[in-house]
Amino acid sequence: MSLHDDAVLVLKSYEDQDELRLAYLDHLAARPDAMWKSCEAGHLTASALVIDPERGRVLLTLHKKLGMWLQMGGHCEPGDGTVEQAALREATEESGIPGLTLLRGGPVQLDRHRIPAPCNWHLDVQYAALAPAGAVEAISEESLDLRWFGYDEAAEVADGSVRRLVERTRAALAGRARS
Protein backbone atom coordinates (compact mmCIF):
# COMPACT_ATOMS: atom_id res chain seq x y z
CA MET A 1 0.00 0.00 0.00
CA SER A 2 1.30 3.48 -0.82
CA LEU A 3 1.64 6.32 1.68
CA HIS A 4 -1.10 8.11 -0.27
CA ASP A 5 -3.43 5.11 0.17
CA ASP A 6 -2.58 4.93 3.88
CA ALA A 7 -3.46 8.62 4.30
CA VAL A 8 -6.85 8.01 2.67
CA LEU A 9 -7.54 5.10 5.06
CA VAL A 10 -6.43 7.12 8.10
CA LEU A 11 -8.68 10.01 7.15
CA LYS A 12 -11.65 7.78 6.32
CA SER A 13 -11.42 6.22 9.79
CA TYR A 14 -10.90 9.55 11.61
CA GLU A 15 -14.25 10.39 13.20
CA ASP A 16 -13.93 14.10 13.91
CA GLN A 17 -13.60 17.44 12.14
CA ASP A 18 -15.79 16.27 9.26
CA GLU A 19 -15.52 19.37 7.07
CA LEU A 20 -11.72 19.49 7.29
CA ARG A 21 -11.40 15.71 6.99
CA LEU A 22 -13.46 15.76 3.79
CA ALA A 23 -11.34 18.63 2.42
CA TYR A 24 -8.21 16.51 3.02
CA LEU A 25 -9.82 13.53 1.27
CA ASP A 26 -10.87 15.71 -1.68
CA HIS A 27 -7.32 17.04 -1.95
CA LEU A 28 -5.90 13.51 -1.93
CA ALA A 29 -8.42 12.40 -4.56
CA ALA A 30 -7.50 15.30 -6.85
CA ARG A 31 -3.73 15.09 -6.43
CA PRO A 32 -1.69 11.90 -6.60
CA ASP A 33 1.32 13.96 -5.37
CA ALA A 34 -0.53 15.34 -2.32
CA MET A 35 1.84 13.58 0.11
CA TRP A 36 4.95 15.34 -1.14
CA LYS A 37 6.50 18.74 -0.59
CA SER A 38 6.63 19.22 -4.36
CA CYS A 39 2.82 19.53 -4.49
CA GLU A 40 2.56 23.32 -4.63
CA ALA A 41 -1.23 23.32 -4.17
CA GLY A 42 -0.59 21.97 -0.66
CA HIS A 43 0.51 18.69 0.81
CA LEU A 44 -0.12 16.47 3.80
CA THR A 45 2.33 16.68 6.67
CA ALA A 46 2.59 14.59 9.83
CA SER A 47 3.30 15.80 13.33
CA ALA A 48 3.19 14.66 16.92
CA LEU A 49 2.90 16.49 20.22
CA VAL A 50 5.45 14.92 22.56
CA ILE A 51 3.85 14.60 25.97
CA ASP A 52 4.96 13.52 29.43
CA PRO A 53 1.59 12.95 31.15
CA GLU A 54 3.14 11.87 34.45
CA ARG A 55 4.73 15.30 34.81
CA GLY A 56 1.93 17.22 33.08
CA ARG A 57 4.07 18.69 30.34
CA VAL A 58 4.62 18.84 26.60
CA LEU A 59 7.79 19.29 24.57
CA LEU A 60 7.70 22.09 22.01
CA THR A 61 10.24 23.20 19.46
CA LEU A 62 10.98 26.81 18.57
CA HIS A 63 10.81 26.39 14.80
CA LYS A 64 13.84 27.82 13.05
CA LYS A 65 12.02 29.19 9.99
CA LEU A 66 8.76 30.27 11.61
CA GLY A 67 10.02 31.46 15.01
CA MET A 68 7.01 29.83 16.71
CA TRP A 69 6.68 27.20 19.44
CA LEU A 70 5.22 24.13 17.73
CA GLN A 71 4.85 20.38 18.06
CA MET A 72 7.39 18.21 16.25
CA GLY A 73 6.52 17.47 12.65
CA GLY A 74 7.13 17.96 9.00
CA HIS A 75 7.08 16.53 5.53
CA CYS A 76 6.48 12.94 4.63
CA GLU A 77 9.42 11.14 3.04
CA PRO A 78 9.56 8.27 0.52
CA GLY A 79 10.73 5.86 3.24
CA ASP A 80 7.64 6.46 5.37
CA GLY A 81 5.26 3.53 5.01
CA THR A 82 2.40 5.19 6.88
CA VAL A 83 1.34 8.62 8.09
CA GLU A 84 1.85 7.35 11.66
CA GLN A 85 5.43 6.34 10.83
CA ALA A 86 6.07 9.80 9.37
CA ALA A 87 4.74 11.49 12.53
CA LEU A 88 6.79 9.23 14.80
CA ARG A 89 9.93 9.71 12.69
CA GLU A 90 9.55 13.48 12.77
CA ALA A 91 8.90 13.52 16.52
CA THR A 92 11.93 11.33 17.20
CA GLU A 93 14.24 13.32 14.89
CA GLU A 94 13.19 16.72 16.18
CA SER A 95 13.01 15.81 19.89
CA GLY A 96 16.09 13.59 19.99
CA ILE A 97 14.12 11.21 22.23
CA PRO A 98 14.32 7.51 21.37
CA GLY A 99 11.46 5.23 22.38
CA LEU A 100 8.54 7.56 21.74
CA THR A 101 5.23 5.77 21.22
CA LEU A 102 2.18 7.21 19.53
CA LEU A 103 -1.01 7.40 21.52
CA ARG A 104 -3.27 4.70 20.12
CA GLY A 105 -6.44 5.55 18.32
CA GLY A 106 -5.13 7.52 15.35
CA PRO A 107 -4.74 11.24 14.86
CA VAL A 108 -5.65 13.65 17.64
CA GLN A 109 -6.60 16.44 15.24
CA LEU A 110 -6.21 17.86 11.76
CA ASP A 111 -4.91 21.35 11.14
CA ARG A 112 -4.68 23.12 7.79
CA HIS A 113 -2.48 26.21 7.74
CA ARG A 114 -1.00 28.55 5.16
CA ILE A 115 2.72 28.38 4.53
CA PRO A 116 5.09 30.60 2.54
CA ALA A 117 5.50 30.13 -1.23
CA PRO A 118 6.12 28.15 -3.33
CA CYS A 119 3.59 25.96 -1.57
CA ASN A 120 0.27 27.22 -0.28
CA TRP A 121 -0.95 24.85 2.43
CA HIS A 122 0.13 22.26 4.95
CA LEU A 123 -2.62 19.76 5.66
CA ASP A 124 -1.25 18.45 8.94
CA VAL A 125 -2.29 15.12 10.45
CA GLN A 126 -1.48 15.52 14.15
CA TYR A 127 -0.77 12.73 16.63
CA ALA A 128 0.39 12.58 20.25
CA ALA A 129 3.61 10.81 21.21
CA LEU A 130 4.23 9.60 24.74
CA ALA A 131 7.73 10.19 26.06
CA PRO A 132 9.31 7.30 27.96
CA ALA A 133 10.14 7.77 31.65
CA GLY A 134 13.33 9.77 32.10
CA ALA A 135 13.33 11.04 28.51
CA VAL A 136 16.05 13.53 27.69
CA GLU A 137 15.53 15.77 24.67
CA ALA A 138 18.24 16.88 22.23
CA ILE A 139 17.85 19.89 19.96
CA SER A 140 17.91 19.27 16.21
CA GLU A 141 19.15 21.42 13.34
CA GLU A 142 15.55 22.42 12.62
CA SER A 143 15.07 24.13 15.98
CA LEU A 144 16.18 27.32 17.64
CA ASP A 145 15.21 25.84 21.01
CA LEU A 146 13.50 22.81 22.51
CA ARG A 147 11.72 23.06 25.83
CA TRP A 148 9.27 21.27 28.13
CA PHE A 149 6.21 23.34 29.08
CA GLY A 150 3.50 22.61 31.63
CA TYR A 151 0.09 22.36 30.00
CA ASP A 152 -0.88 25.91 31.03
CA GLU A 153 2.54 27.31 30.08
CA ALA A 154 2.21 25.81 26.59
CA ALA A 155 -1.06 27.69 26.14
CA GLU A 156 0.77 30.95 26.90
CA VAL A 157 3.52 30.50 24.28
CA ALA A 158 1.82 28.56 21.49
CA ASP A 159 -0.71 29.45 18.82
CA GLY A 160 -4.32 28.27 18.73
CA SER A 161 -3.54 25.12 16.79
CA VAL A 162 -1.04 23.92 19.39
CA ARG A 163 -3.34 24.91 22.25
CA ARG A 164 -6.14 22.84 20.69
CA LEU A 165 -3.73 19.95 20.15
CA VAL A 166 -2.67 20.03 23.81
CA GLU A 167 -6.31 20.07 24.96
CA ARG A 168 -7.37 17.29 22.59
CA THR A 169 -4.38 15.20 23.67
CA ARG A 170 -5.23 15.69 27.34
CA ALA A 171 -8.84 14.67 26.60
CA ALA A 172 -7.64 11.56 24.73
CA LEU A 173 -5.40 10.64 27.65
CA ALA A 174 -8.26 11.11 30.11
CA GLY A 175 -10.50 8.91 27.96
CA ARG A 176 -7.81 6.24 27.84
CA ALA A 177 -7.43 6.34 31.63
CA ARG A 178 -11.19 5.79 32.07
CA SER A 179 -11.28 2.74 29.79
Side-chain angles (χ1 to χ4, degrees):
M1 173 184 327
S2 72
L3 184 58
H4 189 281
D5 292 341
D6 176 73
V8 170
L9 289 176
V10 166
L11 291 164
K12 283 184 175 181
S13 67
Y14 181 66
E15 297 179 350
D16 199 359
Q17 298 178 275
D18 286 340
E19 186 176 326
L20 193 54
R21 181 179 66 82
L22 291 173
Y24 279 38
L25 286 166
D26 288 346
H27 187 74
L28 284 164
R31 303 199 170 272
D33 62 343
M35 298 304 299
W36 312 119
K37 187 177 181 178
S38 59
C39 183
E40 291 183 3
H43 49 270
L44 267 71
T45 55
S47 67
L49 178 69
V50 176
I51 187 164
D52 178 356
E54 290 183 17
R55 297 176 72 183
R57 61 187 191 159
V58 297
L59 184 65
L60 298 178
T61 180
L62 184 57
H63 195 277
K64 190 179 269 187
K65 291 181 181 176
L66 301 176
M68 298 171 60
W69 288 103
L70 301 170
Q71 76 279 6
M72 314 305 144
H75 298 105
C76 296
E77 296 180 1
D80 296 325
T82 66
V83 177
E84 279 190 356
Q85 288 173 359
L88 187 57
R89 176 188 49 75
E90 285 286 341
T92 301
E93 288 174 0
E94 292 184 13
S95 71
I97 299 174
L100 295 173
T101 56
L102 292 183
L103 191 63
R104 292 196 336 220
V108 175
Q109 81 173 3
L110 306 176
D111 183 73
R112 180 177 55 191
H113 47 270
R114 283 203 168 279
I115 58 168
C119 204
N120 292 315
W121 294 97
H122 273 176
L123 289 77
D124 200 25
V125 181
Q126 301 177 333
Y127 293 84
L130 300 174
V136 177
E137 70 280 4
I139 197 165
S140 76
E141 293 179 7
E142 297 181 38
S143 294
L144 293 172
D145 197 2
L146 192 62
R147 192 178 312 161
W148 289 101
F149 292 93
Y151 298 142
D152 293 335
E153 292 174 307
E156 294 171 13
V157 300
D159 70 359
S161 171
V162 175
R163 286 192 297 272
R164 286 187 301 277
L165 181 57
V166 170
E167 288 308 311
R168 284 174 167 264
T169 298
R170 290 178 72 191
L173 285 167
R176 189 177 89 163
R178 285 192 297 272
S179 43

